[in-house]
């Protein structure tokens, strides 16, 4: 009897303060949908693993498979970076905008894709609109008190109105996401593209965990990085390979990357060096984005556009998830204007799946290299170097 194909997935999420069980429940729900559509048989159970993980027992493409999916946690670092009050967040706004504008990073980003730049400007616009509305409310409240003969009481009333509107805006952020996105971009800009010490320490821990996973002997170890987790995955694997960790069982999948938001900043030399190294490494690297995802740099080769490419560059293989083809018109209509949900679509079911199927990749019987052997890059791939090394 042929033993099942064994895989261990190490998943690096983006800037996300939410507990990792969210990713398990997302996988459980979407795997059921994809199994119904594609004929997979997938069963999710608890995994015996060091970190937060789950097991996928599959019958995919005629073969039995066993996959452990483990989340590489850095949500505590994200949570710590988000402990800013209202005033602190507005301070972040000023510093972050100045960093991207003064360094020229913003102008270079706009030469690639407008969508993610608009997404980056969105929290600035919303927060400034809230501030203007608060000042207007304060002025009206102060005027009204003064007109009624309140005299000096107009000032504290005006200040209370200003603060009340700002507090209301903060409480509505579960729908607006302005504060969340501001914290996200501020985290990257704070060190002008360099990794803070806490994140470097976490990457060191991830590298030790990656080696332990390889030592366990699965048929494939697949590192998956989503959103800003994509560039963390790049640095993780660059560190691992530089230390002599080349292994044919190891592969990299990056999804919905936002690499230029970090690599275009002046102190991101570490990341640019990692991109240059991994672009020529003996490692299969697939990068998947979609023009329908306005929060990512769709079809932008993260190595080349960052100015880290050279004539020997081999990776990544850049392909599109092609939402207009892999999602039915009905599904596209249901997801219209749901920007965050579209940014997570790579981790979800497609009702008209093409060659990109997250659940076949993570729970199927082929390695990433085998599944995409001979695949050509998407014709819309962007490789012009916009960020300077």
């Amino acid at each position: 009897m042929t033993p099942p194909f064994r895989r261990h997935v190490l998943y690096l999420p983006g800037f996300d303060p939410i507990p990792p069980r969210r990713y398990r429940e997302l996988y459980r729900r979407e795997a059921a949908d994809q199994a119904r559509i594609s004929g997979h048989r997938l069963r999710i159970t608890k995994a015996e693993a060091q970190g937060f993980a789950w097991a996928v027992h599959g019958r995919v493409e005629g073969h039995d498979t066993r996959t452990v999916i483990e989340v590489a946690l850095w949500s505590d670092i994200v949570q710590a970076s988000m402990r800013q009050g209202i005033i602190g967040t507005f301070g972040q706004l000023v510093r972050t905008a100045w960093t991207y504008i003064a360094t020229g990073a913003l102008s270079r980003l706009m030469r690639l894709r407008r969508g993610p730049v608009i997404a980056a400007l969105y929290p600035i616009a919303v927060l400034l609109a809230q501030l203007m509305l608060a000042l207007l409310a304060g002025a009206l409240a102060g005027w009204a008190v003064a007109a009624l003969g309140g005299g000096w009481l107009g000032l504290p009333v005006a200040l209370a109105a200003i603060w009340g509107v700002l507090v209301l805006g903060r409480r509505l952020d579960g729908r607006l996401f302005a504060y969340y996105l501001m914290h996200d971009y501020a985290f990257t800009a704070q060190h002008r593209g360099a990794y803070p010490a806490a994140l470097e320490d976490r990457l060191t821990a991830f590298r030790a965990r990656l080696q332990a996973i390889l030592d366990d002997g699965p048929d494939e170890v697949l590192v998956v990085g989503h959103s800003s987790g994509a560039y963390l995955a790049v640095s993780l694997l660059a560190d691992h390979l530089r230390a002599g960790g080349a292994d044919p069982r190891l592969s990299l999948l990056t999804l919905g990357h936002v690499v230029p938001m970090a690599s275009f900043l002046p102190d991101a030399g570490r990341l640019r060096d990692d991109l240059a190294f991994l672009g020529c490494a003996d490692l299969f690297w697939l990068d998947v984005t979609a023009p329908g995802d306005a929060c990512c740099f769709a079809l932008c080769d993260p190595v080349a556009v960052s100015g880290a490419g050279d004539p020997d560059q081999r990776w990544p293989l850049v392909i599109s998830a092609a939402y207009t083809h892999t999602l039915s018109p009905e599904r596209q209509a249901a997801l219209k204007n749901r920007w965050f949900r579209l940014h997570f679509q790579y981790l979800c079911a497609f009702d008209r799946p093409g060659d990109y199927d997250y659940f076949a990749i993570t729970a199927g019987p082929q390695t990433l290299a085998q599944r995409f052997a001979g695949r050509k890059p998407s014709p819309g791939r962007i490789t012009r170097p916009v960020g300077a090394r």
Side-chain angles (χ1 to χ4, degrees):
M1 184 176 179
T2 304
F5 183 92
R6 291 181 58 224
R7 173 185 293 103
H8 198 119
V9 174
L10 187 63
Y11 174 77
L12 279 73
F15 187 89
D16 193 344
I18 303 300
R21 63 177 178 272
R22 163 188 175 178
Y23 292 99
R24 180 189 60 200
E25 296 312 309
L26 176 67
Y27 193 98
R28 185 192 304 276
R29 181 179 68 248
E30 297 297 327
D33 282 350
Q34 197 67 66
R36 176 180 51 80
I37 293 163
S38 301
H40 308 326
R41 285 166 48 194
L42 303 172
R43 181 168 59 90
I44 315 299
T45 65
K46 184 177 179 180
E48 297 297 328
Q50 178 176 307
F52 185 91
W54 61 93
V56 185
H57 307 264
R59 179 73 179 175
V60 179
E61 297 163 350
H63 297 273
D64 291 329
T65 62
R66 298 291 183 272
T67 296
V68 172
I69 301 179
E70 179 177 340
V71 180
L73 290 175
W74 62 291
S75 55
D76 57 319
I77 297 176
V78 173
Q79 291 165 4
S81 75
M82 295 178 68
R83 290 174 188 153
Q84 302 283 338
I86 293 172
I87 295 174
T89 301
F90 277 91
Q92 284 185 330
L93 184 158
V94 174
R95 292 190 298 270
T96 301
W98 174 252
T99 296
Y100 276 101
I101 294 170
T103 62
L106 180 62
S107 63
R108 293 196 298 275
L109 289 168
M110 293 184 71
R111 291 164 56 190
L112 283 178
R113 289 283 189 181
R114 295 286 178 87
V117 175
I118 292 172
L121 295 175
Y122 166 81
I124 296 176
V126 172
L127 290 173
L128 288 179
Q130 290 179 8
L131 179 59
M132 292 176 64
L133 184 62
L135 292 173
L136 177 61
L140 290 174
W143 174 82
V145 170
L148 293 173
W152 64 269
L153 288 176
L155 179 59
V157 169
L159 293 175
I162 291 170
W163 189 248
V165 172
L166 292 176
V167 169
L168 178 61
R170 181 67 183 89
R171 291 181 176 175
L172 291 174
D173 207 59
R175 297 181 180 181
L176 299 176
F177 299 107
Y179 278 79
Y180 164 74
L181 287 171
M182 192 69 258
H183 295 318
D184 186 352
Y185 299 126
F187 182 81
T188 303
Q190 180 181 6
H191 297 279
R192 292 161 50 101
Y195 294 150
L199 199 51
E200 285 284 12
D201 290 344
R202 194 59 52 88
L203 285 170
T204 299
F206 291 165
R207 194 175 83 193
R209 180 59 188 144
L210 177 60
Q211 186 58 58
I213 292 168
L214 285 162
D215 291 343
D216 190 49
D219 297 302
E220 181 182 35
V221 176
L222 175 62
V223 177
V224 179
H226 174 248
S227 194
S228 51
Y231 60 76
L232 297 183
V234 165
S235 292
L236 167 62
L237 285 174
D239 287 348
H240 178 78
L241 294 178
R242 286 194 190 101
D247 194 308
R249 297 171 300 158
L250 186 60
S251 53
L252 171 62
L253 172 63
T254 49
L255 305 171
H257 81 79
V258 292
V259 169
M261 292 298 298
S263 66
F264 281 21
L265 290 169
D267 293 344
R270 193 273 216 241
L271 174 56
R272 291 190 292 270
D273 288 345
D274 294 343
L275 288 164
F277 177 81
L278 215 61
C280 301
D282 187 14
L283 172 86
F284 190 89
W285 174 8
L286 178 70
D287 180 74
V288 184
T289 52
D293 172 14
C295 296
C296 79
F297 285 86
L299 298 181
C300 293
D301 180 320
V303 175
V305 300
S306 300
D310 62 35
D312 296 324
Q313 182 186 339
R314 301 170 57 198
W315 309 112
L317 171 60
V318 176
I319 69 169
S320 175
Y323 291 173
T324 55
H325 299 290
T326 54
L327 295 172
S328 66
E330 295 77 17
R331 185 69 65 90
Q332 291 180 57
L335 296 176
K336 187 176 181 181
N337 297 326
R338 295 177 61 189
W339 308 118
F340 272 99
R341 175 58 177 76
L342 287 165
H343 191 46
F344 278 85
Q345 177 58 42
Y346 312 98
L347 309 176
C348 299
F350 289 83
D351 57 352
R352 293 184 177 178
D355 56 358
Y356 176 75
D357 175 340
Y358 184 65
F359 302 95
I361 289 171
T362 55
Q366 299 182 78
T367 67
L368 194 68
Q370 290 169 342
R371 185 170 295 278
F372 289 91
R375 176 67 155 84
K376 299 295 183 184
S378 291
R381 177 181 55 149
I382 298 171
T383 59
R384 64 181 182 275
V386 178
R389 286 198 69 190

